[in-house]
Amino acid sequence: MNKKIVIIGGVAGGATAAARLRRLSESNDIILIEKGEHVSFANCGLPYYIGGIITNRESLFVQTVEGMSKKFNLDIRNFSEALSINRDRKTVTIKEVKTGQTYEQDYDTLILSPGARPIVPPIPGINEAENLFTLRSVPDTDRIKDWVDHNHPSRAVIVGGGFIGLEMAENLAHRGISVQLVELGEQVMAPLDPEMAAMVHKELKTEGVDLILNDGVTAFKNKGREIVLQSGKELQSDVTILSIGVRPENELASEAGLSVGERGGIIVNEHLQTNDESIYAIGDAIEVKDYIQQTPTMVPLAWPANRQGRLVADHIHGKPAAYRGTLGTSVAKVFKLTVAATGNNEKLLKRLGKSYETIHVHPASNAAYYPGGSALALKLLFDPQTGEILGAQAIGYKGVEKRIDVIATAIKGQLKVWDLADLELAYAPPYSSAKDPVNMAGYVASNVASGELRIVHHDEIDEIVENGGYLIDVREPEEREIGKIEGSVPIPLGELRDRLDEIPKDKTIYINCQVGLRGYLATQILTHHGFEAANLSGGFKTYQFGKDVAKTIQYQ
Amino acid sequence: MNKKIVIIGGVAGGATAAARLRRLSESNDIILIEKGEHVSFANCGLPYYIGGIITNRESLFVQTVEGMSKKFNLDIRNFSEALSINRDRKTVTIKEVKTGQTYEQDYDTLILSPGARPIVPPIPGINEAENLFTLRSVPDTDRIKDWVDHNHPSRAVIVGGGFIGLEMAENLAHRGISVQLVELGEQVMAPLDPEMAAMVHKELKTEGVDLILNDGVTAFKNKGREIVLQSGKELQSDVTILSIGVRPENELASEAGLSVGERGGIIVNEHLQTNDESIYAIGDAIEVKDYIQQTPTMVPLAWPANRQGRLVADHIHGKPAAYRGTLGTSVAKVFKLTVAATGNNEKLLKRLGKSYETIHVHPASNAAYYPGGSALALKLLFDPQTGEILGAQAIGYKGVEKRIDVIATAIKGQLKVWDLADLELAYAPPYSSAKDPVNMAGYVASNVASGELRIVHHDEIDEIVENGGYLIDVREPEEREIGKIEGSVPIPLGELRDRLDEIPKDKTIYINCQVGLRGYLATQILTHHGFEAANLSGGFKTYQFGKDVAKTIQYQ
Ligand SMILES: Cc1cc2nc3c(=O)[nH]c(=O)nc-3n(C[C@H](O)[C@H](O)[C@H](O)COP(=O)(O)OP(=O)(O)OC[C@H]3O[C@@H](n4cnc5c(N)ncnc54)[C@H](O)[C@@H]3O)c2cc1C
Ligand SMILES: Cc1cc2nc3c(=O)[nH]c(=O)nc-3n(C[C@H](O)[C@H](O)[C@H](O)COP(=O)(O)OP(=O)(O)OC[C@H]3O[C@@H](n4cnc5c(N)ncnc54)[C@H](O)[C@@H]3O)c2cc1C
Ligand SMILES: CC(C)(COP(=O)(O)OP(=O)(O)OC[C@H]1O[C@@H](n2cnc3c(N)ncnc32)[C@H](O)[C@@H]1OP(=O)(O)O)[C@@H](O)C(=O)NCCC(=O)NCCS
Ligand SMILES: CC(C)(COP(=O)(O)OP(=O)(O)OC[C@H]1O[C@@H](n2cnc3c(N)ncnc32)[C@H](O)[C@@H]1OP(=O)(O)O)[C@@H](O)C(=O)NCCC(=O)NCCS
């Protein structure tokens, strides 16, 4: 039986659904409604085209209207905006953008994949700002690129330190523009915890980006050339990118009486159906479940949109398709750095009041003796009782997203932290070590979970020492010269066994080294000699990054 | 209670066991017996030091005898060879290599990690060959490097196309030496199936290596300067590396009455104990279980040796440690190419008579529009009934081992092929696509497993066409000009729906495209129009590589 399936939104979710629907049936009418000119374009490539890294504009069009119509026998209507859903008659009112004419299109099944749009708050002067842009579509991209190409700005201001803000910072810097980045929070990149974000802050500064944290825009002046911040600071800007987040395109849905969540996402069941079962919704516009906690959240990323597009097509064809939630696995290139994360972060777990533990390791991306490797910082979050993996964050120059992908896979396989030690990962010197960083994180987390290793965290140790805690720094004297924790007592690891009598027996001994490994060895030595000992997780390195954030909070 | 633990072999397995043993107890005597000068050295780095990629010889020593003794409070005895195990008295007879003196060392627990040595067959002239080397130890490395540094060889012959042979080929080529590689089998790199190995063959040829397959050495003449092959061919060599495999160092064990398997590996239980429960054996010297099939096998790689070293230490300390088998996850850099694999290959599954299916995909390593990406070839092996993942192989220039690590993790998580589609992997244009190659392999394999897509394989299609099968090539005319399958009928995908009446209704229609994707679309179109259709898996690309191997078998 022939069905009429109408899809609103022709990019990540919508185009994927259309393609899969056609593969499942040759006979249905599939109508793709897109208000813009382009369908199936590479949203994620836009910043790189502006930056000149992607040079060919055509390459942004993964499919063209003509090509895709033909290949998948689709009725694609671009320049067509859906104005309303008339659920009683099962029609959508559509406006032809070029002529302004409207008509009603009937449907048997409707799929909403309208995405999310950049948030533009009513800041004084914002409408008069001529040099202010948001980035979502190809026309946005053309506008920004055109401005940069023709006005040769020398100073850019990025408002908002999320993925798109950081990508724009990098790409504008790549164009030779000096960049200031203003972020209201204490850190960029929300998926990261503060001590991890501090590494991104460092990279940004190294690359010459002027990072202004804990500050927001209160006004645009002089047609946007001057930006006034909450702190009173005034910035000069030749081009400003506003990238403070997105909000779901939910108007069509809510006006049609479809349920919408607190933060604006369209509410769907596990088959991605709205409260009207003939209307599905997918992509950036919907509220999803956090995969780990099963609590509602919004994750505007391409993988979920693509995955949901396919699942919806399957469900429409009677297949048992269900979406269990979004882990939020993400990655971004920030200049030379790669930053990736999956699952829950500490901020969230704290907010939810969950029981969790974290460990930090800093292993080499590949065999230390083979050129081109470098340390990566890997944070693992887990339930210390059950060993359940709750999330991970990784930052470094090489092999970063590989480790996050492996952990994301482990989570879906319901592996526990101790199973990470058992993952048999590919090793040769250019790629890893015989114990991969993920194995290493697994070892450390298992030791903590089993009680074999007691740890303290970067944000606890200062207070411990201030309150009279005894902290031994087992690094070599040269290392301490570069930086140390105030109040720590130096006993290099190699001397520890011979100097046990210097150490008080009546209280917990805290230990730190550079990354946590020698500290662990020292902790074990002390424990076996009858001391109560605890290791500073991630060592001085994690401590220092934690301090960096604490400083920005304090001093701004 | 104090225990005396003696470990024979001080590198990957042995040194790891020693380190972990000390972390678990400060009181046991841990004695590490190593016949060579060095413990804990980077075996895997040796080829790169010869090639000049690793420049600092010191960096090969992950730990020194002195440093490690101190750090872990070990009794390390280098230049000490274990000659025999006297199980009745629980002692080992040890020879001090420098003096020739022997003594007996008693043990409570003994760990054997003696590794495996290069196979050196009794080929006529081999003992007189002055320029012939095997590579295992630091002295071997020094000898080869010295020879290259001082004799400036212009022609090298590598005998054997395994990991070490290929790494040596690359590294000698890197030194400006022209390299010939002789391999007895039809392909290099045994973990790969032939059509995948063909890509490695191509890379070797591109890099100027003269690859001689299906041929072996029958004699060395003129002090090794001339090498006579089975085919009658004679090669000239200034330096020859013999790398035809390794055999386990099992003499100590077998002479002491410990069980040894058919292929020479010491037999252990899941706690890595030999048939004498106070004697453990680990690493290259043991027989392990294939993780998937639970059949006996030998996998001389660093990850298993390291992992087993830790497990043994745990078991000795009463922890419930068990080794479930080796997946054989591996990776090698072959010039610019990365080649990785995990689990079972097709050759093995055939030999075991297992039911399996394979699919081939050729997705881009990262978003096609972002510079620096390139296609990777990914082969997935699975049980079409249960969806169990049996193995995978990947080859390409970027992101190759990442996909194998993800699949290796999925296997350990007991995920099925359809779960691969559900893996939420990190995506941004420099790293992947919104549907990662692993997702893609999951989609294709699920379609095959569910019966949604019927496929034929690269090695079946010629015969099908010869026997009158109808094969449609849905690529564009330009693509056919570069190469096509004999007998295929050209109907570009875009014209297919309009030309259905040209296609016979009374028989199965076979389809090929370049990589399998358009062929799949065509297969679906035909199926929905009532045809019986099957797609050539991996398209013309996989077919062509399959042909390349077939050719070498035929013509040598
Ligand atoms: C600059 C940028 C960079 C990004 N980088 C990444 C990245 O690196 N990794 C990542 O995972 N994600 C990235 N994303 C996010 C990713 O692109 C989105 O998550 C994904 O495209 C969401 O898919 P969707 O189908 O929900 O919405 P979209 O892909 O945005 O498609 C929605 C479409 O619906 C149309 N539409 C909306 N309302 C209507 C209407 N009423 N009538 C008709 N048409 C309508 C819109 O015009 C739009 O074309 C990036 C996004 C941007 C903007
Ligand atoms: C050149 C080369 C490159 C490699 N590259 C890789 C790679 O990229 N990836 C990978 O996974 N694996 C690689 N390997 C393999 C890896 O090094 C081994 O799998 C691993 O070292 C095995 O550990 P083991 O403890 O069993 O043996 P080994 O590390 O070989 O240690 C055994 C030690 O025991 C000593 N010994 C033996 N018999 C006695 C005795 N009777 N008395 C005293 N001492 C004794 C030996 O001298 C030796 O030092 C490579 C190996 C080589 C040689
Ligand atoms: C281009 C677009 C329409 C493609 O959708 P799609 O056809 O579902 O996806 P792909 O082209 O990746 O192909 C996937 C399909 O091909 C199949 N396939 C892929 N390679 C194959 C091969 N070698 N052999 C057989 N089948 C193959 C897969 O099984 C899958 O089919 P299925 O869903 O029926 O199982 C859609 O992804 C899109 O619009 N992308 C751009 C927008 C976007 O995603 N933006 C955000 C990121 S920048
Ligand atoms: C060098 C060698 C002796 C090290 O063995 P090791 O101490 O077990 O291994 P590592 O140095 O990687 O350290 C791992 C240990 O440190 C712990 N660790 C690592 N980073 C840590 C951190 N940041 N905080 C706390 N603990 C940490 C791990 O938990 C693990 O301890 P555990 O086994 O008690 O759980 C051994 O690996 C070796 O000889 N290697 C060279 C030979 C070789 O492997 N060759 C083949 C490959 S080239």
Side-chain angles (χ1 to χ4, degrees), chain A residues 256-272:
Chain A
L258 303 178
S259 307
V260 162
E262 249 175 57
R263 289 169 56 200
I266 304 170
I267 290 180
V268 293
N269 64 16
E270 66 165 358
H271 306 300
L272 301 159

Side-chain angles (χ1 to χ4, degrees), chain A residues 10-17 19-20 23-24 39-45 62-63 68 71-72 302 306 310 314, chain B residues 360-363 367 369 427 429 433-435 440 442-445 447 452-453 455 515-521 524 535-539:
Chain A
V11 192
T16 298
R20 174 71 177 164
R23 286 192 290 271
L24 291 175
V39 294
S40 185
F41 65 87
N43 333 50
C44 317
V62 183
Q63 303 277 341
M68 192 166 177
K71 197 163 163 189
F72 294 103
N306 274 264
R310 188 181 192 269
D314 279 3
Chain B
H360 292 81
V361 292
H362 299 273
Y369 50 81
Y427 164 60
S433 295
K435 304 176 184 85
M440 209 58 104
Y443 280 132
V444 177
N447 292 341
E452 216 174 282
L453 169 63
I455 55 174
V515 298
L517 173 51
R518 282 171 293 168
Y520 165 54
L521 302 181
Q524 296 307 83
N535 186 30
L536 176 63
S537 180

Side-chain angles (χ1 to χ4, degrees), chain A residues 427-429, chain B residues 8-14 33-36 38 41 43-44 46-47 80-82 113-116 135-136 164 167 249 252 282-285 300-303 305:
Chain A
Y427 163 60
Chain B
I8 297 174
V11 192
I33 305 295
E34 167 56 52
K35 72 177 170 197
H38 307 286
F41 65 87
N43 333 49
C44 319
L46 304 180
S80 299
E81 182 175 1
S113 191
L135 176 59
R136 177 187 186 187
I164 296 177
E167 286 178 359
E249 300 264 17
L252 269 183
I282 57 178
D284 288 1
L301 288 173
W303 187 91

Side-chain angles (χ1 to χ4, degrees), chain B residues 158-233:
Chain B
I158 312 281
V159 185
F163 288 96
I164 296 177
L166 290 175
E167 286 178 359
M168 283 309 300
E170 178 181 349
N171 277 289
L172 291 180
H174 191 251
R175 299 275 317 243
I177 303 170
S178 112
V179 175
Q180 295 188 292
L181 194 153
V182 181
E183 163 61 50
L184 193 59
E186 71 190 51
Q187 63 163 86
V188 299
M189 300 199 111
L192 299 177
D193 287 317
E195 81 284 9
M196 300 298 282
M199 295 179 213
V200 183
H201 298 171
K202 192 177 162 200
E203 176 79 3
L204 289 171
K205 286 174 197 161
T206 306
E207 294 287 345
V209 173
D210 180 23
L211 183 61
I212 304 168
L213 296 169
N214 300 299
D215 213 344
V217 175
T218 52
F220 293 94
K221 297 203 299 202
N222 191 10
K223 297 184 176 167
R225 295 279 166 178
E226 284 165 53
I227 302 177
V228 187
L229 304 185
Q230 285 172 354
S231 62
K233 211 179 265 182

Side-chain angles (χ1 to χ4, degrees), chain A residues 23 26 303 306-307 310 319 327-329 338 405 412 422 424 426 431 435 439 443 452 497 528, chain B residues 20 23 26 306-307 310 319 327-329 338 405 412 422 424 426 431 435 443 452 497 528:
Chain A
R23 286 192 290 271
E26 277 287 297
W303 187 91
N306 274 264
R307 180 77 189 120
R310 188 181 192 269
K319 293 175 187 274
L327 261 178
T329 311
T338 298
D405 279 356
K412 292 247 162 148
D422 248 328
E424 193 183 325
Y431 305 99
K435 304 175 185 87
N439 297 142
Y443 280 131
E452 215 172 285
R497 286 192 184 86
H528 294 311
Chain B
R20 174 71 177 162
R23 285 192 291 269
E26 278 286 298
N306 274 265
R307 180 76 189 122
R310 187 179 193 271
K319 293 174 185 276
L327 261 178
T329 311
T338 298
D405 278 355
K412 292 246 162 147
D422 249 327
E424 192 182 327
Y431 305 99
K435 304 176 184 85
Y443 280 132
E452 216 174 282
R497 287 192 183 84
H528 294 310

Side-chain angles (χ1 to χ4, degrees), chain A residues 530-552:
Chain A
F531 295 86
E532 278 280 337
N535 186 29
L536 176 63
S537 181
F540 184 71
K541 204 165 179 178
T542 298
Y543 170 81
Q544 211 171 13
F545 280 113
K547 270 294 224 220
D548 284 350
V549 190
K551 240 183 274 163
T552 63

Side-chain angles (χ1 to χ4, degrees), chain A residues 9 11-13 34-35 43-44 80 82 113-115 136 283-284 300-302 305, chain B residues 427-428:
Chain A
V11 192
E34 167 57 53
K35 71 177 171 198
N43 333 50
C44 317
S80 299
S113 192
R136 177 187 188 188
D284 288 0
L301 288 174
Chain B
Y427 164 60

